[in-house]
Amino acid sequence: MMTDLSIVKRYIRMANDGWLQGWHERNGGNLTYRLTKEEVAEMRPFFDARPREWVSMGVTGANLAGEYFLATGSGKFFRNVEIDPEDSICVVEINDRGDSYRIVWGLVNGGRPTSEFPSHFMNHSVRVAATGGACRVIYHAHPANIIAMTFVLPLTDRDFTRALWKSATECPVVFPGGVGVVPWMVPGGADIALATCEKMKEYDAAVWAHHGLFASGPDFDITFGLMHTIEKAAQIWVLQKSTGLPELQTIQDDELRAIARDFNVELREEFLDERG
Ligand code: 2HA
Ligand code: ZN
């Protein structure tokens, strides 16, 4: 059956891993994966005999026409994905204009793909273009520490990137391009989708002020790992500030450059201060 397929198992595992991290209270967060042609062929025997109605998305991603996505359902809880995937997740097909979807499997008790599907869809479109087709995963979660940071740091890409890079030595290696920051906006609509897209043209992760984090990548490991690394760095930042003690030392900008040189990554130079 559908849930025996490797790709579906790995998708469910990622959703459950996020739940276990505490990033998905209630119906918080959403996960979409753009299927390969081979994966769609494997799935096709399990598709519903009659696909559901086409639903207009109000946004267009011409480069995603004819693609298929695994998606969490709107109002569904990550906590339930592993124990009841047929009720919690779905596969959707995109039409040949790239502006509508229809459910071809899953959400057996009714429902729609995630309320953030327009955001996910538009960001897949942007990331597919930015990565030459490599990007397949978009993941949105509500990790507490990165959200906490959005109350006390200026909401700029530079401030967040520097704070995170300096909180844990691996960070500049994992996200050398930095992270974008989207100001507080109403979730679920076209505005937050477009604002996030502007950031995701340049970054593979974007912070949503007072809300959460949006991350993208070529596969589940890399995307989950990016979310995990950013949130871990945010936790260290928050813990460090919470001691109330003055900061006696940190990683210097030239030390960030030294990491980049040895690990062969290119840091966004405009986020670094002048050479010392
Ligand atoms: O799915 O996380 O941003 C609920 C949300 C909306
Ligand atoms: Zn959210």
Side-chain angles (χ1 to χ4, degrees), residues 140-144 146-147 150 180 182 206-215 227:
H140 166 59
H142 296 171
I146 194 81
I147 298 171
T150 66
V182 177
V207 179
W208 281 0
H210 321 319
H211 183 155
L213 185 60
F214 218 79
M227 179 76 71

Side-chain angles (χ1 to χ4, degrees), residues 103-117:
I103 298 171
V104 296
W105 177 85
L107 291 174
V108 289
N109 299 308
R112 292 151 45 96
T114 164
S115 60
E116 302 290 3
F117 198 71

Side-chain angles (χ1 to χ4, degrees), residues 171-187:
C171 286
V173 182
V174 177
F175 48 98
V179 298
V181 182
V182 177
W184 185 87
M185 297 178 83
V186 176

Side-chain angles (χ1 to χ4, degrees), residues 7-207:
I7 185 60
V8 179
K9 282 192 197 159
R10 287 181 288 124
Y11 176 92
I12 292 171
R13 176 176 170 231
M14 171 149 167
N16 201 57
D17 283 348
W19 156 248
L20 294 174
Q21 288 294 330
W23 298 339
H24 299 287
E25 75 293 339
R26 204 174 181 279
N27 63 321
N30 20 77
L31 173 64
T32 55
Y33 171 76
R34 185 170 60 88
L35 292 153
T36 66
K37 290 206 164 26
E38 294 73 28
E39 288 159 350
V40 174
E42 274 185 338
M43 282 186 169
R44 207 173 282 282
F46 306 110
F47 284 172
D48 298 345
R50 284 170 52 90
R52 274 159 257 182
E53 295 294 303
W54 288 107
V55 178
S56 168
M57 292 183 282
V59 291
T60 304
N63 61 347
L64 300 178
E67 298 276 354
Y68 288 75
F69 291 87
L70 269 163
T72 43
S74 179
K76 300 295 182 182
F77 294 17
F78 268 59
R79 178 170 175 249
N80 295 333
V81 168
E82 189 175 78
I83 58 167
D84 200 359
E86 288 88 351
D87 174 69
S88 305
I89 65 174
C90 61
V91 176
V92 298
E93 176 186 4
I94 305 300
N95 68 348
D96 56 12
R97 287 188 307 279
D99 63 7
S100 303
Y101 72 78
R102 64 178 178 183
I103 298 171
V104 296
W105 177 85
L107 291 174
V108 289
N109 299 308
R112 292 151 45 96
T114 164
S115 60
E116 302 290 3
F117 198 71
S119 271
H120 280 244
F121 182 74
M122 288 307 293
N123 280 286
H124 274 290
S125 177
V126 163
R127 293 306 299 164
V128 161
T131 62
C135 178
R136 292 200 172 271
V137 185
I138 301 267
Y139 181 34
H140 166 59
H142 296 171
N145 292 284
I146 194 81
I147 298 171
M149 284 176 76
T150 66
F151 293 84
V152 292
L153 261 190
L155 295 175
T156 73
D157 304 350
R158 192 177 197 274
D159 282 289
F160 270 75
T161 298
R162 290 177 60 80
L164 294 167
W165 277 352
K166 288 173 180 250
S167 290
T169 296
E170 291 286 308
C171 286
V173 182
V174 177
F175 48 98
V179 298
V181 182
V182 177
W184 185 87
M185 297 178 83
V186 176
D191 289 348
I192 196 167
L194 292 172
T196 309
C197 282
E198 282 307 307
K199 297 296 177 183
M200 299 295 271
K201 285 178 187 162
E202 293 195 48
Y203 304 104
D204 48 22
V207 179

